[in-house]
């Protein structure tokens, strides 16, 4: 996507299409809109006065310009009530307009939506995020499909009033473009079916990403994991014919500091193993690597933005399959810190692969460790699709993550990790069991992970947010790319 910033007036600019944002119930059109309206012979005013266009959030109304200006058409986009306006509503409106133009088959458009909110840089970022996230589609397996060959939007121009504004708008637009492209990269990985996104393919993808963006990538195979005593992840992997991979990413943007470590669960398909899942909707379990994809996307973004931070990414990757060699309920595994785990459910596999990764994180003497995982169905029940679960040992870190969640609108909500919950996972024969009763399922997951951690740590459960079977204002249904923008926003504010 080519992004341009141009100084000029809407009524003078030459474009395939212009976007104009209008607040709901505003009696007076803003000054910039007024002159455009005049040039159009009052068409905008008329659309509003007649009540055809009320400015309700994400409402659209297309006005053909009939040669009155050098732009062919003007799209009115509703911004909702001015008092209720937010950065995310701007992101939504931008996404909705971009999708509208893509539906018309246009190749470019010009927008002024970033001018409705201050600071300009944040607004420009949100406008680019909304547009690029909104235009995302996963169509690679549609052969000879009309949609697949369709012309795409290749150029977006952000119009500004004066050269004074260009720096802020360019910077914001660049950040937004990097964020959205990284999230779309993660979406692509998650939407990929599990036969095309195996642990080995994930590792290859990570190596390619590292080469292209200039950071380090190392991959451990089954033997190397064995030598490190990673019996927990290997116990999950032993049921599958696909070999597991342990992916290590290292980004150095700061010479001195100890790193932040990001850990991402990457079960490329979760059948449940011997504790097999019901067949209905099992296909969605190709998305059980969304945590790993989010970490890879965050690396793409932090490298793209050249953030001055040190970050390590750890992505344990394997399938969870039933077979004659699979781990069975009742089996005992030994993790790389020597702790023994009684397997109650082979479907509580995410925490098992994370355990060895969290132990591995310790060697970096991390300032903070954040893990992202599609860990529990209970989290979907508790929080639904609008918030990820957050549990951890460091309140300050959690506050920072909560704020990054608000900025990116990939919001998190905290659940407790009180010591009273420890009894949920007491085993009769081993140090811990991997699953308890039905109560407090998400907290039990956190309690399990906490046993493998001794540094400031936060766990984010994205089971309800990594995949959405309904579409949103700036995303089609399917993989959401959740976590990429939140983690990157977090790193932008780190120290
Ligand atoms: N990958 C699933 C969790 C999940 C469920 C993600 C729905 C996305 C949507 C995880 O591995 C799992 O199966 N968890 C079990 C844990 C239980 C056995 C303790 C669950 O939630 O049922
Ligand atoms: Mn599972
Ligand atoms: Zn899983």
């Amino acid at each position: 996507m080519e992004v341009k910033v141009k100084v000029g007036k809407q009524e003078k600019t030459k474009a395939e299409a212009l976007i104009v944002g209008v607040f709901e119930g505003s009696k007076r059109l803003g000054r910039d809109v007024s002159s455009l309206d005049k040039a159009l012979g009052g068409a905008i005013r008329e659309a509003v006065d007649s009540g055809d266009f009320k400015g309700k959030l994400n409402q659209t109304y297309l006005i053909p310009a009939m040669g009155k200006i050098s732009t062919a058409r003007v799209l009115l986009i509703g911004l909702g009530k001015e008092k209720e306006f937010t950065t995310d509503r701007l992101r939504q409106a931008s996404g909705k307009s971009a999708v509208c133009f893509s539906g018309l088959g246009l190749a470019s458009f010009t927008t002024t939506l970033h001018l409705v909110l201050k600071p300009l840089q944040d607004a420009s970022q949100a406008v680019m995020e909304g547009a690029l996230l909104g235009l995302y589609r996963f169509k690679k397996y549609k052969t000879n499909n009309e949609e697949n060959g369709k012309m795409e939007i290749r150029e977006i121009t952000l119009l500004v009033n004066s050269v004074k504004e260009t720096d802020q708008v360019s910077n914001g637009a660049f950040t937004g473009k990097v964020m959205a492209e990284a999230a779309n990269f993660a979406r692509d990985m998650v939407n990929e079916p599990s036969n095309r996104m195996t642990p080995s393919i994930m590792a290859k993808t990570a190596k390619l990403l590292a080469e292209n963006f200039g950071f380090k990538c190392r991959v451990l195979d089954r033997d190397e994991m064995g030598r490190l005593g990673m019996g927990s992840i290997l116990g999950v992997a032993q049921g599958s014919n696909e070999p597991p991979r342990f992916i290590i990413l290292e980004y150095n943007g700061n010479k001195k500091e100890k790193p932040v470590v990001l850990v991402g669960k990457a079960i490329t398909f979760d059948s449940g193993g011997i504790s097999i899942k019901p067949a209905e909707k099992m296909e969605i379990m190709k998305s059980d690597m969304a945590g790993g994809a989010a970490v890879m996307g965050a690396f793409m973004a932090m490298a793209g933005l050249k953030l001055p931070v040190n970050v390590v990414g750890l992505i344990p990757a394997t399938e969870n399959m039933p077979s004659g060699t699979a781990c069975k309920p009742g089996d005992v595994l030994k993790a790389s810190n020597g702790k023994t785990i009684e397997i109650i459910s082979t479907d509580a596999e995410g925490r098992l692969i994370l355990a060895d990764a969290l132990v591995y994180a310790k060697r970096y003497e991390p300032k903070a460790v954040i893990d992202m995982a599609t860990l529990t169905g209970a989290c979907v029940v508790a929080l639904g699709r609008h918030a990820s679960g957050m549990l951890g040992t460091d309140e300050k870190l959690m506050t920072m993550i909560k704020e990054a969640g608000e900025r990116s609108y990939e919001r998190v909500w905290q659940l407790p990790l009180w010591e009273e919950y420890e009894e949920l996972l007491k085993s009769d024969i081993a140090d811990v069991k991997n699953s308890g009763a039905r109560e407090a399922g998400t907290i039990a997951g956190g309690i399990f992970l906490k046993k493998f951690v001794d540094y400031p740590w936060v766990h984010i459960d994205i089971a309800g947010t990594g995949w959405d079977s309904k579409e949103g204002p700036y995303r089609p249904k399917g993989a959401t790319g959740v976590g990429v923008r939140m983690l990157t926003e977090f790193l932008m504010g780190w120290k």
Side-chain angles (χ1 to χ4, degrees), residues 265 267 270-273 275 277 285 288 320 345-350 374-375:
K265 168 180 173 181
I267 295 290
D270 183 10
S271 70
S275 315
K277 287 182 181 295
M285 282 302 125
D288 210 21
N320 183 25
S345 169
T346 64
D347 199 11
E349 85 297 338
T374 46
L375 209 73

Side-chain angles (χ1 to χ4, degrees), residues 19 56-60 75 77-80 84-100 113 123 125-135 386 408-409 411 471-475 485:
I19 305 173
K56 289 214 181 297
L57 184 61
N58 298 337
Q59 184 191 359
T60 54
L75 179 76
I77 176 85
L79 301 177
E84 294 166 10
F85 198 60
T86 61
T87 311
D88 193 63
R89 288 189 163 198
L90 181 58
R91 199 179 277 121
Q92 292 180 30
S94 179
K96 181 82 192 195
S97 340
V99 169
C100 180
L113 273 180
Q125 182 186 335
V127 164
M128 280 312 294
E129 285 178 2
L132 297 190
L133 290 168
L135 290 170
H386 298 296
S408 55
Y409 219 60
R411 292 169 295 176
E471 64 171 34
Y474 44 85
R475 64 164 179 246
R485 291 186 300 112

Side-chain angles (χ1 to χ4, degrees), residues 155-177:
E155 191 182 296
I156 300 176
T157 304
L158 292 96
L159 209 58
V160 295
N161 293 313
S162 69
V163 264
K164 273 192 314 201
E165 295 175 340
T166 37
D167 272 7
Q168 284 185 71
V169 171
S170 301
N171 288 342
F174 176 73
T175 305
K177 178 176 186 280

